């Protein structure tokens, strides 16, 4: 797997945020505040997320995450609440994803 970086500007919708759903106009502007994601392969079997500006880092063992899709009574990883655990269970147990891709 190759490492890659994706970045996108922030935005503010000044008017019509929900109007566009009904084919109406909206006024939006981009901001010079960017969101950046860097994806890189490493040899530890975990998913880690770092928010540099917030000085926040979280990591989860991929085996624990995969277990959420296999068993409803699996141990919930630290720093993961039941609602998010249920979302992950649904995602990893879906036929499109399957255990092989976790």
């Amino acid at each position: 797997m190759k490492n890659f970086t994706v970045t996108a500007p922030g935005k503010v919708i000044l008017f019509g945020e929900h109007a566009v759903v009904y084919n109406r106009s909206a006024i939006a502007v981009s901001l010079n505040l960017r969101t950046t994601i860097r994806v890189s392969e490493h040899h530890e079997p975990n998913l880690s997320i770092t928010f540099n500006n917030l000085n926040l880092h979280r990591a989860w063992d991929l085996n624990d995450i995969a277990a959420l899709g296999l068993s409803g009574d699996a141990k919930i990883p630290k720093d993961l609440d039941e609602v998010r655990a249920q979302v992950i269970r649904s995602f990893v147990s879906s036929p499109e994803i399957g255990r092989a891709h976790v």
Side-chain angles (χ1 to χ4, degrees), residues 41-48 59-66 102:
E41 185 174 23
H42 55 89
H43 299 290
E44 297 176 27
N46 66 24
L47 167 66
S48 64
W60 299 274
D61 186 291
L62 288 179
N63 295 318
D64 290 344
I65 293 172
V102 174

Side-chain angles (χ1 to χ4, degrees), residues 71-75 89:
S71 171
D73 60 351
K75 178 186 85 172
R89 282 186 188 111

Side-chain angles (χ1 to χ4, degrees), residues 7 13 17-19 34 37 44 49 51 55 66 68-69 71 76 80 96-97 102:
T7 183
I13 301 174
E17 180 177 3
H18 297 286
R34 301 193 71 81
I37 184 170
E44 297 176 27
I49 299 174
F51 297 95
N55 196 28
L68 290 174
S71 171
I76 297 174
L80 187 65
E96 296 83 20
I97 301 302
V102 174

Side-chain angles (χ1 to χ4, degrees), residues 7 9 14-15 25 41 50 59-60 69 71 75 83 93 96 98-100:
T7 183
L14 300 174
F15 175 78
S25 298
E41 185 174 23
T50 302
W60 299 274
S71 171
K75 178 186 85 172
V83 173
S93 64
E96 296 83 20
R99 184 173 164 79

